[in-house]
Structures are given as C-alpha cells and as structure tokens.
Amino acid sequence: MSPVPVVLAGARGHGRWHVANIRRLEAMGVVRLVGICELSPLTEEESGGELPRQSADFGELLDSTGARAAVICTPIPTHTPSR
C-alpha cells in the first residue's frame, strides 16, 4: 500500500506535535507529508526533514499536492464559533 499524501495546516505552536507525529508515520511508510499551510514558510529544521510544498492558501495547497488527508491545527481564535 502506498503512503497516504497528507497536508498540515498550522505547523507552529501546538502544530509542532503534529509535524513530529506525521514525520514518525512517514518513517513507518504510512503517510507522506506533501504540504504545509502556514502564513510564513517553515525552515527545513522546523519541518523535521525535507521541505514539502508550502503555501498560505490551504485550497491551493490541497489542489496542487493531491493530498488525500489533512491535519488542521490552527489557533483557537480562527475556529468557527460554536452554536
């Protein structure tokens, strides 16, 4: 089975834990990190390895990478209000 291409939205702050977990799963051959959505690009060190495609436009990132899964980790003020 091929690794699932995944993008991460929000890779700083709490998102660093998601970067580490995605990289762990990548080493196991489960996923492949194909994109990171951040307002300012990450460095290779911040991304935990080779830099994937980066964009501040989540829709563009999904379209351009062919991602089949996404991890969304954005600051609480950006979340949709609960009803």
Side-chain angles (χ1 to χ4, degrees), residues 13-30:
H14 181 73
R16 291 179 303 204
W17 295 105
H18 292 289
V19 171
N21 195 42
I22 291 168
R23 291 300 191 178
R24 180 183 64 80
L25 293 171
E26 192 172 48
M28 296 170 57
V30 177

Side-chain angles (χ1 to χ4, degrees), residues 62-82:
L62 289 174
D63 291 342
S64 67
T65 61
R68 303 291 297 158
V71 177
I72 312 292
C73 183
T74 60
I76 290 173
T78 67
H79 295 186
T80 301
S82 60

Side-chain angles (χ1 to χ4, degrees), residues 23 33-34 36 41-54:
R23 291 300 191 178
L33 183 60
V34 295
I36 294 176
L42 268 65
T43 64
E44 200 168 285
E45 182 179 336
E46 289 174 306
S47 76
E50 185 177 331
L51 286 170
R53 181 167 176 79
Q54 296 189 69

